Amino acid sequence: MMKLFTLLTAAACAATMIGCSNDAKVTSPDGRIQTIVSLDEAGVPSLRVEVDKQALIAPSRLGLEAVDRNLASGFEIETVEKDHRDETWTQPWGENREIRDCHNEIAVRMHNPEGVALTLRIRAFDDGVGFRYEYDTPADSLLIMDELTQLNFARDGLSWSIDGNYDTYELPYREQAISAVERANTPFTFRIGDLYGSIHEAALYDYPEMHLLRKDSLSFKAELAPLPDGVKARVGGSFTTPWRTLQIGRRAVDLINSALILNLNEPSKIADTSWIKPQKYVGVWWGMHLGTQVWTMGPRHGATTENAIRHIDFAAANHIQGVLFEGWNRGWENWGGNQQFDYVEPYADFDLERIARYAAEKGIELWMHNETGGNIPDYEARMEEAMKRYAELGVHTLKTGYAGGIKGGYSHHSQYGVQHYQRVVEMAARYGIMLDVHEPIKETGIRRTWPNMMTREGGRGMEWNAWSEGNSSEYLCTLPYVRLLSGPMDYTPGIFDIYYDRAKADPGRIQWNGDNTHCSIKTTLARQIANWVIIYSPLQMAADLIENYEGHPAFQFFRDFDADCDWSEALQGEIGDWIVVARRAGDRFYLGAGTNAEARTIDQSLAFLRPDVTYKARIYADRTDDTLRTSYRIEERRLTAADTLRIEMAPDGGCAVTFEPVNE
């Protein structure tokens, strides 16, 4: 008969933790953050976190629950090993090309009478803490039934999160008191007093994803996405969990500027990364969501040879590196049915070989798209054949999709899902293919280890504006402080036809989810431009129909924009209210600012520019004297690092700026 081992009750743990003297401590390099590990009288480990000698996380129990093996109690500390690291490493791409990793570490090694050895490894950074479990047991394999990790807030505060869900992240943000949250996915961002923080995880490879489940007013437990039989994870007798992370800052933007998640991942496993190149792209995509085009072959088919040539020509004429085609391959007629797609054979009206040759002649990267509909067994049976074919065609970028229930009753975010997504990443690396993943496993920094994992969806993206209530400007002012803390997002920004005038004039338009005549973009055009800077992705799309860009003066911003940045910094903002971000690519800088439904004027120091250099600044801003969201103005000025830029934004508005050095 199977036996489950678990911890003592929370009340018993709390009573014994206080008097425990069997402690191990690690302090951040700047001395402000201290993490303390304790064992109670029953040998149950706990953790607490203090910032400036004030409790942030009160004593919180740790451990896992397994079948026929005690992973949670009876431990004694054998040794506490200490380490310090301060080094700088370089990414092949990223928000910042150079990353500093400065942390103190303790490895608390303990064992229990059942022969289980546990190393609790904790790394303390100036901007937060990461900890993970490293187990070594006498068993050959284990069934993990629960993770008992708790995070008990010392006091209440305000939080921003989406609901905890095992299958989707495409949910609205909620601003709630911490004590009012029932469950939440991560990143889980909060403010307590004058501290900002965010709970997430790092290095998720072979384990279910975690969300938070409230146990009482301020106590949250790690909840793992289950397999269909209720088991949370099948692991070896010796295994390591992902890191549980807590980012901490004095300002909201400190969370955005943190590299803690990346630093908790291993260095790249891809030796030659020269083929991994950030790029801008356009594609056949938005028309499907507007209902002016369809994925299947017929009179409204979007992915045709003629349309492909037109998009390739547009990209070549506008300094855009890539073109994406959805609905190019046979099988879309099975959508909503058996979910079987052909990942090699194109529709008859899409001459794949001719298009690939033409793209190569024009110097344009051809993107392929693989929608699986959640039919993972079918996709895994075909994906190597498909990737081999794409490599033969000179394709280096693949967008994948998983819109649909996964066969076998598996949830997207279970260990089964995590393992599948990782197999795809590694297979793609073998064939020199970069990935843009929709309906993904959330980003946990694995792009450091597998830098061909470029960008992911993992949130309510642009398409929600085509056939629903849409994404508000407040949502867009929350996104950088929550979802984007985990990594790049393929939000697909940049719609210029704000009110969908072109689509609504099409008499044959197909409307999704009922009447779509009320749908529109909920921000100004200037904010749409600013989103190319604010919403980081190394694969950045100009998502509108290309005919809405042709001849448009404001499209010059995207022509000038470089997705391959070297440096980035979130300069100022508050969660849900506003955001200002600057990036540099080569010798050019780009700035993006956005506000919520409140008109806002802010002063922004330009000290981030290089000193003693004069820049030609081209400013794309709202017309504050006009309530139409399509109204904008373009202004050119000479500015330096000594200047301050006054940014005036209309309600739901924004501002974007390119800074180009002037040779004088």
Side-chain angles (χ1 to χ4, degrees):
M1 180 178 178
M2 293 191 298
K3 180 180 178 183
L4 295 181
F5 288 89
T6 187
L7 289 174
L8 301 176
T9 66
C13 287
T16 54
M17 286 173 189
I18 296 171
C20 182
S21 59
N22 195 4
D23 292 350
K25 303 178 182 179
V26 60
T27 303
S28 60
D30 65 2
R32 292 185 57 243
I33 303 172
Q34 186 173 71
T35 304
I36 304 99
V37 175
S38 301
L39 288 180
D40 69 8
E41 293 177 355
V44 175
S46 70
L47 174 146
R48 68 183 189 271
V49 179
E50 298 175 354
V51 181
D52 296 329
K53 299 183 179 180
Q54 298 294 315
L56 177 62
I57 301 296
S60 304
R61 64 183 186 180
L62 303 175
L64 303 180
E65 184 180 84
V67 173
D68 293 332
R69 195 67 57 177
N70 178 10
L71 305 182
S73 63
F75 287 104
E76 295 181 357
I77 294 178
E78 294 180 330
T79 62
V80 178
E81 299 176 6
K82 298 183 178 181
D83 193 14
H84 170 75
R85 179 169 299 177
D86 189 354
E87 62 184 23
T88 298
W89 55 277
T90 302
Q91 304 186 82
W93 60 269
E95 302 96 319
N96 292 284
R97 197 61 62 102
E98 292 189 346
I99 302 289
R100 185 185 181 193
D101 179 359
C102 181
H103 68 260
N104 293 324
E105 177 183 291
I106 57 170
V108 185
R109 303 192 186 279
M110 55 189 88
H111 70 279
N112 69 15
E114 287 83 359
V116 174
L118 167 62
T119 297
L120 186 64
R121 192 174 303 275
I122 305 171
R123 291 182 182 170
F125 303 80
D126 290 346
D127 54 359
V129 177
F131 66 93
R132 72 181 183 190
Y133 304 99
E134 301 169 7
Y135 278 100
D136 188 7
T137 77
D140 293 328
S141 61
L142 293 168
L143 300 179
I144 303 300
M145 302 305 294
D146 201 3
E147 180 168 337
L148 303 166
T149 304
Q150 286 190 195
L151 292 170
N152 303 328
F153 289 96
R155 57 191 175 117
D156 208 351
L158 197 59
S159 73
W160 296 264
S161 66
I162 61 172
D163 191 18
N165 189 290
Y166 296 138
D167 280 300
T168 184
Y169 310 111
E170 297 185 34
L171 300 167
Y173 289 121
R174 310 159 306 175
E175 181 180 307
Q176 299 173 292
I178 293 172
S179 58
V181 176
E182 293 296 329
R183 61 182 187 178
N185 218 308
T186 67
F188 176 79
T189 300
F190 61 88
R191 180 178 183 176
I192 298 176
D194 61 355
L195 283 181
Y196 293 84
S198 187
I199 296 167
H200 191 44
E201 54 185 316
L204 175 61
Y205 288 101
D206 187 17
Y207 201 72
E209 74 139 53
M210 172 190 79
H211 73 242
L212 302 177
L213 180 66
R214 184 163 68 89
K215 303 302 291 182
D216 61 33
S217 178
L218 294 173
S219 176
F220 291 84
K221 174 188 170 298
E223 190 73 3
L224 304 179
L227 296 165
D229 60 2
V231 173
K232 299 297 176 65
R234 288 177 162 82
V235 298
S238 298
F239 68 98
T240 298
T241 69
W243 296 89
R244 279 56 188 104
T245 65
L246 173 61
Q247 290 166 277
I248 300 169
R250 285 292 183 192
R251 304 180 303 154
V253 293
D254 291 342
L255 302 178
I256 300 172
N257 296 327
S258 168
L260 184 148
I261 303 294
L262 281 175
N263 278 326
L264 289 171
N265 280 265
E266 296 297 320
S268 175
K269 292 184 180 293
I270 301 175
D272 177 13
T273 60
S274 61
W275 54 273
I276 301 176
K277 297 177 180 178
Q279 58 187 270
K280 298 179 292 185
Y281 73 103
V282 292
V284 178
W285 174 79
W286 184 234
M288 281 87 149
H289 290 281
L290 287 179
T292 60
Q293 297 175 334
V294 296
W295 283 275
T296 53
M297 197 168 76
R300 285 187 172 265
H301 192 202
T304 65
T305 302
E306 179 183 3
N307 212 12
I309 298 300
R310 189 169 68 94
H311 278 73
I312 291 168
D313 286 342
F314 179 84
N318 287 277
H319 314 299
I320 295 168
Q321 293 87 16
V323 178
L324 163 72
F325 298 102
E326 294 200 10
W328 65 273
N329 55 315
R330 295 179 180 176
W332 280 91
E333 59 277 3
N334 298 322
W335 178 256
N338 62 20
Q339 302 288 59
Q340 288 187 324
F341 298 83
D342 194 315
Y343 303 105
V344 175
E345 290 299 320
Y347 278 121
D349 60 351
F350 190 84
D351 189 335
L352 178 56
E353 292 193 354
R354 177 188 167 193
I355 292 165
R357 285 196 305 271
Y358 190 74
E361 291 169 5
K362 291 287 188 175
I364 299 299
E365 293 281 342
L366 176 63
W367 288 36
M368 306 312 292
H369 176 239
N370 287 172
E371 176 55 63
T372 70
N375 191 343
I376 285 178
D378 186 63
Y379 187 52
E380 290 196 347
R382 299 290 308 277
M383 68 180 183
E384 183 165 16
E385 175 192 2
M387 291 186 190
K388 181 180 179 182
R389 176 61 174 148
Y390 304 156
E392 292 170 351
L393 291 167
V395 172
H396 300 291
T397 311
L398 174 64
K399 176 180 176 180
T400 59
Y402 297 83
I406 295 178
K407 288 195 171 182
Y410 292 97
S411 70
H412 279 78
H413 306 161
S414 67
Q415 185 184 34
Y416 175 87
V418 173
Q419 290 171 332
H420 165 72
Y421 287 93
Q422 188 57 34
R423 281 194 287 271
V424 177
V425 170
E426 296 184 25
M427 180 70 70
R430 286 175 53 189
Y431 288 96
I433 292 174
M434 300 178 286
L435 290 177
D436 169 8
V437 183
H438 281 230
E439 296 80 39
I441 290 296
K442 60 189 174 185
E443 167 67 314
T444 60
I446 73 161
R447 57 193 166 113
R448 178 183 181 185
T449 311
W450 295 94
N452 64 316
M453 180 62 259
M454 305 293 285
T455 190
R456 314 181 190 215
E457 187 185 37
R460 286 175 56 132
M462 180 63 76
E463 67 274 15
W464 282 79
N465 295 292
W467 34 254
S468 78
E469 75 280 7
N471 295 333
S472 68
S473 56
E474 182 180 359
Y475 171 87
L476 291 169
C477 287
T478 306
L479 196 70
Y481 303 98
V482 188
R483 160 63 182 87
L484 295 181
L485 297 184
S486 68
M489 180 179 181
D490 188 31
Y491 181 85
T492 57
I495 302 302
F496 278 21
D497 187 6
I498 299 292
Y499 300 106
Y500 312 157
D501 292 333
R502 187 183 298 273
K504 291 175 181 178
D506 186 338
R509 180 186 179 210
I510 301 166
Q511 299 196 62
W512 290 34
N513 301 331
D515 182 9
N516 296 166
T517 56
H518 65 285
C519 294
S520 67
I521 298 297
K522 300 302 189 292
T523 74
T524 67
L525 188 145
R527 177 59 186 276
Q528 288 296 300
I529 298 170
N531 285 342
W532 282 319
V533 181
I534 295 169
I535 303 174
Y536 175 69
S537 178
L539 305 176
Q540 191 62 284
M541 187 181 197
D544 207 344
L545 307 177
I546 59 174
E547 47 266 44
N548 291 328
Y549 295 135
E550 290 172 333
H552 200 303
F555 194 64
Q556 186 62 41
F557 182 91
F558 196 72
R559 289 168 54 90
D560 294 336
F561 182 68
D562 190 340
D564 190 8
C565 61
D566 300 302
W567 167 90
S568 299
E569 185 177 331
L571 301 172
Q572 59 170 304
E574 287 293 342
I575 305 169
D577 294 340
W578 87 97
I579 179 73
V580 184
V581 175
R583 306 194 192 278
R584 179 179 61 81
D587 61 358
R588 288 186 177 186
F589 287 82
Y590 307 93
L591 181 143
T595 185
N596 57 12
E598 177 184 334
R600 198 178 302 273
T601 298
I602 56 176
D603 291 326
Q604 176 58 58
S605 165
L606 301 183
F608 59 85
L609 298 173
R610 296 194 188 280
D612 303 320
V613 177
T614 299
Y615 293 86
K616 180 179 74 174
R618 181 176 285 124
I619 302 167
Y620 301 77
D622 294 319
R623 284 265 308 274
T624 55
D625 60 343
D626 193 332
T627 59
L628 281 176
R629 296 199 293 272
T630 50
S631 298
Y632 70 97
R633 60 184 175 85
I634 301 175
E635 175 188 355
E636 289 192 359
R637 296 171 59 185
R638 293 291 194 269
L639 295 170
T640 71
D643 291 317
T644 295
L645 179 66
R646 172 151 290 192
I647 300 172
E648 296 181 346
M649 294 180 283
D652 308 312
C655 178
V657 187
T658 60
F659 297 90
E660 183 179 359
V662 177
N663 295 320
E664 295 181 332

